[in-house]
Amino acid sequence: EMVFFLGLLLVSELARRSIIRSDPNSRAAGTLWICSLVLGWYTVSITLILYNKWVITSWTPGGMRFPISYTTSHMLLKGCLAWLYFSFVRGKRPPWLGWGIFIGFSLAGSFAALDIVTSNLSFLYISATFYTFLKSASLTFMLGFALLFCLEPPSASLISTVALTSAGMFLASYGAPDFHLLGFCLVMASEVFAALRWVVTQIMMKDDNADCMTAVLYMSPAATLTLLPWACMQERDELAAVTESAKVSAQTLALVLFPGFLSFILLLVEVQLVKDTSSLTLSVFGHLKSVATIAFSLVVFHEKSSLLQWVGLLVALCGMVLYAQARGEWNYKAETCSSSSKDGSSPHADESTGLVGPRGMQRTFTDLRI
């Protein structure tokens, strides 16, 4: 799986660099940059999902006994790696952007920790395939929050999108051969936290001084402290048993470091993708990633899926396409209205519409905030 997507990523980057050499301001280069980010995201994200599923369910008989501590260590490791980057690569102290930015990223970090830990815990009860089918509901929650906070104007297109995606999620759940109520609830909780996480992240990344590494560093303390009390209360005995054997301790350390590094890279790519596009774009490409994840899960874990689940995923994808089309129409109307301003021209007249494009070309619901 990694070789497949890394090969595509290499092709995309070679094409982008070739275009930049001939025309540094080419729009195609910007599109290929987004393509490279998406392929990098697919490479790390799918690998991490499959790896976490294996570690949590198959590493030891009965599954991993400390999944919360496992996730907490990843939150801490990401902060440590970000600090090392500032210290040895940039050779300077991390920038201080003010308490407002710090609190905002801390909030995003707490949501990220809750998103990831509930996702990992769900692997104890459901298959990676069913997990991925349920993850296709992320667009529903993002649009729901947009309506709740009056960030999107209510419309027939928006309501139909939510209805279609929700219907797809229902079909995927109803058709699951291994449905488990607790696992289902954990994934739904992770969807809520993920939607909040990326909406807050996109708002914070509007600050021109905030880059990906700074965001990761600011998120890490809150993410770690969110999970640490829970891990200490629930998994204290399991962690004590691990430290009794040097061999088991070494194995555990290796199992933690590899996905911790992957999650660090994943967060960097996700934050950069949100900064250059939008949190909605992340959700849209996430639907396409779902199909690839399901395919690899069926091959690696020999899991089963039903026709009804695939129909549900297709319905959810239709909802995503409907929203993308509606968003393009709204953008066009916004540009048409702005062209009738006093100077008679639109400040975005030379920009294409849609979800994907260089930074500054998206007008999604978080751009409409007060």
Side-chain angles (χ1 to χ4, degrees):
E1 172 265 328
M2 288 189 69
V3 173
F4 174 74
F5 283 112
L6 284 175
L8 295 178
L9 175 59
L10 180 62
V11 172
S12 176
E13 275 298 285
L14 289 175
R16 185 176 72 89
R17 293 178 183 275
S18 176
I19 292 174
I20 289 177
R21 281 195 295 268
S22 60
D23 184 5
N25 298 321
S26 172
R27 297 177 66 87
T31 302
L32 285 173
W33 167 243
I34 302 301
C35 182
S36 296
L37 284 176
V38 171
L39 290 172
W41 178 41
Y42 282 16
T43 302
V44 181
S45 179
I46 296 176
T47 300
L48 197 56
I49 289 174
L50 299 181
Y51 183 88
N52 283 340
K53 172 63 177 177
W54 173 78
V55 168
I56 291 174
T57 61
S58 305
W59 174 47
T60 57
M64 176 175 279
R65 299 175 182 177
F66 45 91
I68 302 173
S69 301
Y70 174 75
T71 307
T72 305
S73 66
H74 295 169
M75 303 297 104
L76 177 62
L77 183 59
K78 284 185 282 192
C80 294
L81 290 173
W83 183 272
L84 290 174
Y85 173 82
F86 279 108
S87 300
F88 295 99
V89 178
R90 292 191 181 180
K92 61 180 181 180
R93 294 175 60 85
W96 175 249
L97 304 180
W99 284 107
I101 299 296
F102 178 77
I103 292 173
F105 277 127
S106 295
L107 185 61
S110 295
F111 287 142
L114 294 172
D115 167 25
I116 297 170
V117 75
T118 49
S119 294
N120 285 342
L121 288 172
S122 70
F123 285 135
L124 293 171
Y125 309 101
I126 60 176
S127 65
T129 301
F130 185 33
Y131 164 86
T132 307
F133 275 119
L134 294 179
K135 275 291 185 178
S136 65
S138 59
L139 184 62
T140 302
F141 290 100
M142 282 192 174
L143 295 178
F145 283 120
L147 288 173
L148 179 64
F149 296 113
C150 300
L151 300 175
E152 273 290 17
S155 67
S157 298
L158 187 61
I159 294 173
S160 60
T161 296
V162 173
L164 271 178
T165 311
S166 300
M169 180 187 67
F170 172 78
L171 290 174
S173 305
Y174 186 79
D178 56 348
F179 181 84
H180 192 286
L181 180 60
L182 180 56
F184 172 83
C185 292
L186 285 169
V187 177
M188 290 298 99
S190 77
E191 288 294 339
V192 173
F193 293 130
L196 291 170
R197 163 195 185 184
W198 291 119
V199 167
V200 173
T201 298
Q202 185 180 346
I203 293 173
M204 292 298 102
M205 292 301 290
K206 293 299 180 182
D207 189 307
D208 290 335
N209 294 319
D211 58 18
C212 298
M213 198 65 68
T214 304
V216 172
L217 182 63
Y218 278 27
M219 288 180 187
S220 179
T224 304
L225 292 175
T226 299
L227 300 182
L228 189 59
W230 187 7
C232 291
M233 288 188 296
Q234 187 164 331
E235 300 175 348
R236 182 172 58 254
D237 296 336
E238 288 79 2
L239 292 175
V242 170
T243 58
E244 293 177 355
S245 171
K247 181 180 179 180
V248 175
S249 297
Q251 290 178 346
T252 304
L253 182 62
L255 286 170
V256 167
L257 288 178
F258 175 67
F261 177 75
L262 284 182
S263 62
F264 173 71
I265 299 299
L266 177 62
L267 187 55
L268 284 179
V269 174
E270 287 177 336
V271 171
Q272 186 64 48
L273 188 57
V274 168
K275 182 169 184 174
D276 289 347
T277 58
S278 70
S279 58
L280 181 63
T281 301
L282 194 75
S283 178
V284 169
F285 281 120
H287 283 75
L288 302 179
K289 180 172 68 71
S290 297
V291 178
T293 304
I294 292 169
F296 284 112
S297 298
L298 294 174
V299 174
V300 174
F301 298 112
H302 306 288
E303 296 174 347
K304 296 179 180 179
S305 63
S306 67
L307 177 60
L308 190 57
Q309 283 184 294
W310 285 102
V311 171
L313 181 62
L314 179 61
V315 171
L317 287 173
C318 289
M320 176 267 293
V321 172
L322 177 63
Y323 183 83
Q325 181 181 5
R327 168 55 60 190
E329 292 173 356
W330 295 338
N331 285 345
Y332 175 79
K333 291 178 182 178
E335 291 182 358
T336 302
C337 292
S338 63
S339 65
S340 60
S341 59
K342 290 183 179 181
D343 60 0
S345 62
S346 169
H348 303 291
D350 60 339
E351 296 178 359
S352 62
T353 61
L355 293 171
V356 182
R359 187 182 180 195
M361 293 172 58
Q362 285 70 38
R363 287 165 292 282
T364 58
F365 60 80
T366 49
D367 295 321
L368 300 176
R369 70 187 189 283
I370 298 176

